[in-house]
Amino acid sequence: MSGQSLLVPGELSPTRSVPGSIRRPEYVGKPAPTPYTGSEVQDDETVELMRTASRIAARAMAEAAKAIAPGVTTDELDRIGHEYMCDHGAYPSTLGYRGFPKSLCTSVNEVICHGIPDSTVLRDGDIVNLDVTAYIGGVHGDTNATYLVGDVDEPSRLLVERTREALSRAIKAVKPGRQINVIGRVIESYAKRFGYGVVRDFTGHGINSSFHSGLIIPHYDHPGATTVIQPGMTFTIEPMLTLGTYEYETWDDGWTVVTKDRERTAQFEHTLVVTGAGAEILTLP
């Protein structure tokens, strides 16, 4: 453990507004999205639209990350990301997705994923993941990264660095004709070198006009993940590595997922399109 006290829920600010001129995803105002029935392989026009959405998401995350410092609230990071996306004509995909109340996810220290931005104040020595998805042109682009807050202890710093490297190695493993499980095999084999846990129940996913298309990208060596990678497929890879167990618990808010042993966890994510030779990262700023 880092010596920091464990997180507790903060206070939520009022729901942020989105200009009426910005197109909403179909799931806004509904309890769940309509199931996706299209192809996991996208045409060139859709991929080009996804480049735009992905670039906005990446830049919104980068803008919010500039404000990360001790004393800043996670709600302030949400405000910055929200305003950037709206200013660039994009809808924050998480806002209203299955009832999620904010425009990005802020997952601090022992929070694996889906942390809700609130009055929580970042402390020197924390790590925080920002997960940002933008919707524009009828498609989504999804990215996240983990950042250091001030002076961070060595185990946490290395966890962040190695989780970023795990994503990089997984992206390089994407080749047409291979099965999806090559991605998790690469991530898990790398993480095991350091004794890290690899979260299993939260995965990468297909993405296009649907936020989560139904295609599952496990981050461990799953023997059942035999879908063959094809050119034109669009999906995310987003490994979550932990200093301890990969087992988790969920807060009463129904969203915030924390490690069962409350050890720290880090995550990185990119949206990709499969090319003839490998994968192109769409979520570069």
Side-chain angles (χ1 to χ4, degrees), residues 62-169:
E63 283 300 307
K66 290 177 184 177
I68 291 174
V72 175
T73 66
T74 55
D75 186 67
E76 173 64 5
L77 304 180
D78 182 77
R79 182 193 67 79
I80 295 169
H82 175 94
E83 291 183 358
Y84 185 94
M85 284 184 273
C86 290
D87 287 348
H88 290 80
Y91 186 90
S93 300
T94 62
L95 185 61
Y97 178 78
R98 297 183 181 271
F100 192 83
K102 292 297 176 180
S103 299
L104 50 87
C105 299
T106 52
S107 300
V108 181
N109 296 345
E110 68 269 20
V111 180
I112 295 172
C113 58
H114 304 159
I116 300 174
D118 58 18
S119 62
T120 296
V121 176
L122 296 176
R123 304 161 296 181
D124 186 63
D126 284 343
I127 60 174
V128 57
N129 178 272
L130 304 184
D131 194 338
V132 181
T133 310
Y135 177 80
I136 188 171
V139 298
H140 301 267
D142 187 4
T143 188
N144 76 54
T146 303
Y147 299 89
L148 309 182
V149 184
D151 186 16
V152 175
D153 65 75
E154 185 75 354
S156 298
R157 187 187 65 77
L158 287 173
L159 175 69
V160 170
E161 179 182 304
R162 290 164 176 167
T163 306
R164 183 190 294 110
E165 175 64 16
L167 173 60
S168 177
R169 291 177 180 230

Side-chain angles (χ1 to χ4, degrees), residues 66-277:
K66 290 177 184 177
I68 291 174
V72 175
T73 66
T74 55
D75 186 67
E76 173 64 5
L77 304 180
D78 182 77
R79 182 193 67 79
I80 295 169
H82 175 94
E83 291 183 358
Y84 185 94
M85 284 184 273
C86 290
D87 287 348
H88 290 80
Y91 186 90
S93 300
T94 62
L95 185 61
Y97 178 78
R98 297 183 181 271
F100 192 83
K102 292 297 176 180
S103 299
L104 50 87
C105 299
T106 52
S107 300
V108 181
N109 296 345
E110 68 269 20
V111 180
I112 295 172
C113 58
H114 304 159
I116 300 174
D118 58 18
S119 62
T120 296
V121 176
L122 296 176
R123 304 161 296 181
D124 186 63
D126 284 343
I127 60 174
V128 57
N129 178 272
L130 304 184
D131 194 338
V132 181
T133 310
Y135 177 80
I136 188 171
V139 298
H140 301 267
D142 187 4
T143 188
N144 76 54
T146 303
Y147 299 89
L148 309 182
V149 184
D151 186 16
V152 175
D153 65 75
E154 185 75 354
S156 298
R157 187 187 65 77
L158 287 173
L159 175 69
V160 170
E161 179 182 304
R162 290 164 176 167
T163 306
R164 183 190 294 110
E165 175 64 16
L167 173 60
S168 177
R169 291 177 180 230
I171 292 171
K172 290 175 183 175
V174 174
K175 305 287 184 186
R178 292 180 172 177
Q179 294 181 342
I180 288 291
N181 56 20
V182 70
I183 295 168
R185 189 176 309 127
V186 166
I187 292 168
E188 187 172 38
S189 64
Y190 179 70
K192 279 184 174 180
R193 288 167 50 181
F194 311 105
Y196 295 154
V198 181
V199 173
R200 294 176 171 234
D201 289 353
F202 300 92
T203 68
H205 53 89
I207 184 169
N208 39 66
S209 60
S210 173
F211 193 172
H212 300 88
S213 72
L215 176 66
I216 301 299
I217 312 295
H219 301 124
Y220 66 102
D221 188 3
H222 191 317
T226 57
T227 299
V228 175
I229 298 170
Q230 302 176 57
M233 274 186 167
T234 49
F235 54 80
T236 72
I237 303 177
E238 45 189 297
M240 292 151 263
L241 305 186
T242 69
L243 289 176
T245 183
Y246 61 76
E247 296 180 338
Y248 65 91
E249 296 172 345
T250 305
W251 282 3
D252 291 342
D253 61 25
W255 283 105
T256 307
V257 178
V258 296
T259 54
K260 194 168 186 178
D261 57 10
R262 303 305 191 265
E263 289 284 2
R264 288 188 169 189
T265 175
Q267 181 184 15
F268 283 83
E269 173 186 19
H270 277 306
T271 294
L272 313 171
V273 60
V274 180
T275 67

